[in-house]
Amino acid sequence: MLSEFSLIDRYFARRAKAPSPRQGDAPLGIGDDCALIAPPAGHQLAISTDMLVAGRHFFADVDARALGHKALAVNLSDLAAMGAKPHAFTLALALPHADEAWLEAFSDGMFALAERFDCALVGGDTTSGPLNICITVFGDVAHASALRRDAAKPGDDIYVSGTLGDARAGLGVMRGEWRAPDEAASAWKRALEKPEPRVALGLALGGVAHAALDISDGLAGDLMHILRRSAVSATVDADAVPCSDAVRALPEAARRQCALAGGDDYELCFTAPRNARDSIARIGERVGVALTRIGTIESGAPGIAWRDGSGAALSLTLQGFDHFHAD
Amino acid sequence: MLSEFSLIDRYFARRAKAPSPRQGDAPLGIGDDCALIAPPAGHQLAISTDMLVAGRHFFADVDARALGHKALAVNLSDLAAMGAKPHAFTLALALPHADEAWLEAFSDGMFALAERFDCALVGGDTTSGPLNICITVFGDVAHASALRRDAAKPGDDIYVSGTLGDARAGLGVMRGEWRAPDEAASAWKRALEKPEPRVALGLALGGVAHAALDISDGLAGDLMHILRRSAVSATVDADAVPCSDAVRALPEAARRQCALAGGDDYELCFTAPRNARDSIARIGERVGVALTRIGTIESGAPGIAWRDGSGAALSLTLQGFDHFHAD
């Protein structure tokens, strides 16, 4: 197996590179015991790691190019949620066998996204084993700009970016839970398989927003992370949560399940003070991402009071963790 | 599965902590989208990632406490080989099911080692799936002190730390390739399962040694990494390679295979100029690790000329990559 896995190493190594040079940085990438990187002066490294397992986080027969994209995208999304600028990543990969066509497509999808964000592969590990992808990503964030989960304040507005529910709606089609016109089903599948990390938005929100995270497990569950860590509560207008027309066309229960509890959208949820409304609107225009105000942070024990568009209380039965992950 | 894997998250989170505070560092650990760390001024972060797969890197029934130790130890060893001081690590873990006794033992082994080196768990990911352990480790290294693989110079002495071959000898007993007295077999098994990362040695060698790496795949193959990256050759006295008495008692072919091509020892191999011999000797005494001079770096195309103790050329047939890894 030596030659086979050496080939895989070389496969990635030939597209790896040292990170963009910068002051105080003498980068050392693939081929030594460690990669060496340093954040710019006054910055920290934001670090996130995600492990993707076949059959849990993706279907084993998923398009390899899309998988390469998604494996890195979910990590870049964590950087975006922190307001950090992508810099470098490591890839650890277990593969049952070396399939050149698969590797070509997987690495194409991964490097296409990496290059868009100037994020260099600086190290890694490959081995034989059940398919498993573990990426650790490194970004730069200025000390004062980090978007932490524990920074929400009573009176803050709550926003989400883009539209929610498309990825979950796509999963529903694949599972046979509901059907949709071809065009909608294609768009949903794309949302599920090729999420767009909101990097520019996260960077722009630094110093403006208070708390932020990316919605990987569904709005209801993820917002609760902010509420618990910030020791605050929230009121959310369920009808204000932005959805695509196709998701809006689903029956009400399915629509709410997708929009409020569906995972894998990788949009940002963030809070910001009322006096930042104009700034937030300008940021949304500048980065070209719709930003929708869906509720407010209040003092009180962590919990979400759901309202409908008329302001009436809603009693929702949501599965809190309803996405591709089975765990 | 939610509750089960939330339990696992909490299992590790309760023993996680923010990294040791230091100037310019506002650490943020488990519970946010990212961990935030920064090296001290004038330093870089050394980063290494290793993925361990059941059946490839360890026997599926290995003692969980030893596995927790080894999973972190192999990563700390990469930091040692770079001359970096351990600071933090992330753990991504796929488990077929949540077995509390296994988790207790695994995390005990891992945290016992982490605490010895003041290395904080700052983030991670847990999921269900075939057993897979991916650790990414972060250490601090001063710009001028990094021990790179490409820094060997003609005229350098070549050293190794400790003794080589014990881990491979232990694997041989488990595989039934050879037998040994109980005491030797126990010591070998310990060497295989609980390697000691040479962190203090790596730190002490910064600014003194030229090139270094840790011997994970066997001396012959690993030394070639230094030779290729430094564009130099080496002459090595095979009989000078330090072995335990028990390995020395093996038949010659087995002994040479273990000492020269056996992996998983995690000792350091490094080069240093002749005028550093006294410094190297003092470092060995100070950190309490035997350091043995085994050869010299020469100009010429990358390759190893093996000699025996009398200086006569040896023609060795070594499997280059002979350790637990099957890949």
Side-chain angles (χ1 to χ4, degrees):
Chain A
M1 298 289 280
L2 167 62
S3 56
E4 184 178 49
F5 279 85
S6 291
L7 276 173
I8 296 176
D9 284 339
R10 282 203 287 277
Y11 206 94
F12 290 102
R14 73 182 165 83
R15 297 190 61 171
K17 56 172 186 170
S20 307
R22 55 194 183 187
Q23 205 173 13
D25 196 6
L28 183 67
I30 280 183
D32 216 302
D33 298 290
C34 297
L36 296 179
I37 64 178
H43 288 62
Q44 294 180 295
L45 275 186
I47 298 169
S48 180
T49 192
D50 275 295
M51 178 174 270
L52 274 64
V53 175
R56 314 299 298 185
H57 304 93
F58 54 89
F59 293 108
D61 63 351
V62 70
D63 173 64
R65 189 181 165 87
L67 183 60
H69 171 99
K70 185 163 180 174
L72 182 59
V74 302
N75 281 282
L76 293 179
S77 180
D78 284 316
L79 292 185
M82 209 75 203
K85 184 176 187 312
H87 180 57
F89 69 106
T90 59
L91 166 71
L93 182 64
L95 283 177
H97 57 275
D99 173 336
E100 276 212 54
W102 190 94
L103 279 164
E104 180 83 33
F106 176 83
S107 61
D108 272 356
M110 190 182 71
F111 283 113
L113 186 66
E115 283 157 18
R116 273 178 53 206
F117 289 105
D118 197 20
C119 191
L121 178 67
V122 294
D125 195 14
T126 56
T127 180
S128 66
L131 181 56
N132 184 305
I133 306 157
C134 185
I135 287 179
T136 306
V137 75
F138 311 99
D140 305 326
V141 61
H143 286 189
S145 299
L147 302 169
R148 303 168 62 123
R149 293 183 176 184
D150 61 3
K153 304 279 179 233
D156 277 2
D157 295 318
I158 303 169
Y159 295 83
V160 295
S161 65
T163 58
L164 298 187
D166 297 283
R168 178 63 183 84
L171 185 60
V173 171
M174 287 166 148
R175 285 178 176 166
E177 292 174 302
W178 46 73
R179 306 175 57 132
D182 285 354
E183 197 183 339
S186 296
W188 289 346
K189 184 163 185 261
R190 202 162 50 242
L192 178 65
E193 294 188 349
K194 296 205 71 178
E196 175 65 20
R198 297 302 191 189
V199 172
L201 175 60
L203 284 169
L205 289 174
V208 179
H210 283 162
L213 50 58
D214 64 324
I215 303 173
S216 55
D217 296 340
L219 173 64
D222 284 327
L223 179 55
M224 280 302 297
H225 292 308
I226 287 180
L227 303 181
R228 284 200 196 94
R229 291 183 67 88
S230 300
V232 293
S233 66
T235 296
V236 176
D237 177 353
D239 292 331
V241 173
C243 296
S244 64
D245 290 343
V247 168
R248 210 167 282 283
L250 286 170
E252 183 181 88
R255 171 171 60 86
R256 289 218 159 109
Q257 189 64 30
C258 289
L260 307 183
D264 280 329
D265 284 315
Y266 299 98
E267 295 292 348
L268 297 190
C269 173
F270 59 95
T271 81
R274 287 176 64 93
N275 65 16
R277 287 186 184 177
D278 289 347
S279 304
I280 299 290
R282 280 194 299 272
I283 285 169
E285 282 169 29
R286 179 151 58 85
V287 301
V289 177
L291 301 178
T292 306
R293 192 151 44 82
I294 61 167
T296 51
I297 297 291
E298 286 153 17
S299 58
I304 303 172
W306 297 99
R307 306 275 183 228
D308 68 13
S310 75
L314 272 184
S315 176
L316 292 178
T317 307
L318 297 170
Q319 294 171 270
F321 198 73
D322 184 17
H323 64 142
F324 195 88
H325 301 218
D327 52 69
Chain B
M1 298 289 280
L2 167 63
S3 55
E4 185 179 48
F5 278 85
S6 292
L7 276 172
I8 297 177
D9 284 338
R10 284 202 286 276
Y11 206 94
F12 290 102
R14 74 183 164 81
R15 296 190 63 171
K17 56 173 186 170
S20 308
R22 55 190 181 190
Q23 204 173 12
D25 196 5
L28 182 67
I30 280 182
D32 217 302
D33 298 289
C34 296
L36 295 179
I37 64 179
H43 288 62
Q44 294 180 295
L45 275 185
I47 299 170
S48 181
T49 191
D50 275 296
M51 178 174 270
L52 274 65
V53 175
R56 314 298 299 187
H57 304 94
F58 55 89
F59 294 108
D61 63 351
V62 70
D63 173 64
R65 190 182 165 86
L67 183 60
H69 172 97
K70 184 162 180 175
L72 182 59
V74 301
N75 280 282
L76 293 179
S77 179
D78 285 314
L79 292 185
M82 208 76 206
K85 184 177 188 308
H87 180 58
F89 69 106
T90 60
L91 166 70
L93 182 64
L95 283 177
H97 57 277
D99 173 337
E100 277 212 53
W102 190 94
L103 278 165
E104 181 82 33
F106 176 84
S107 62
D108 273 356
M110 189 182 71
F111 284 113
L113 186 66
E115 283 156 18
R116 273 179 54 209
F117 290 104
D118 196 21
C119 191
L121 178 65
V122 295
D125 195 15
T126 56
T127 180
S128 64
L131 181 55
N132 184 306
I133 306 157
C134 185
I135 288 180
T136 305
V137 74
F138 311 99
D140 304 327
V141 62
H143 287 189
S145 298
L147 301 170
R148 304 167 62 123
R149 294 183 176 184
D150 61 4
K153 305 276 181 234
D156 277 3
D157 295 318
I158 304 169
Y159 295 83
V160 296
S161 65
T163 58
L164 298 187
D166 296 283
R168 178 64 183 84
L171 185 60
V173 171
M174 288 168 149
R175 284 180 176 164
E177 292 174 303
W178 46 73
R179 305 175 59 132
D182 284 354
E183 197 183 336
S186 296
W188 290 345
K189 184 162 186 261
R190 202 163 50 243
L192 178 64
E193 294 187 349
K194 296 204 73 181
E196 175 65 20
R198 297 301 191 189
V199 172
L201 175 59
L203 285 169
L205 290 174
V208 179
H210 282 163
L213 51 57
D214 64 326
I215 303 173
S216 54
D217 295 340
L219 174 64
D222 283 327
L223 178 55
M224 280 302 297
H225 292 309
I226 288 181
L227 303 182
R228 283 201 196 93
R229 289 182 67 87
S230 300
V232 293
S233 66
T235 295
V236 176
D237 178 352
D239 291 331
V241 173
C243 296
S244 64
D245 290 342
V247 167
R248 213 168 279 283
L250 286 171
E252 182 181 270
R255 170 172 59 86
R256 289 218 160 110
Q257 188 64 30
C258 288
L260 307 183
D264 280 330
D265 284 316
Y266 299 97
E267 295 293 349
L268 298 191
C269 173
F270 59 94
T271 81
R274 286 176 65 95
N275 65 16
R277 286 185 183 178
D278 289 348
S279 303
I280 300 289
R282 281 194 300 272
I283 286 170
E285 282 169 29
R286 179 152 57 85
V287 302
V289 177
L291 301 179
T292 307
R293 193 151 43 83
I294 62 166
T296 50
I297 297 291
E298 286 153 18
S299 56
I304 304 172
W306 297 98
R307 308 274 183 226
D308 69 13
S310 74
L314 271 182
S315 176
L316 292 177
T317 307
L318 297 170
Q319 295 171 267
F321 199 75
D322 185 18
H323 64 142
F324 195 88
H325 301 219
D327 54 69

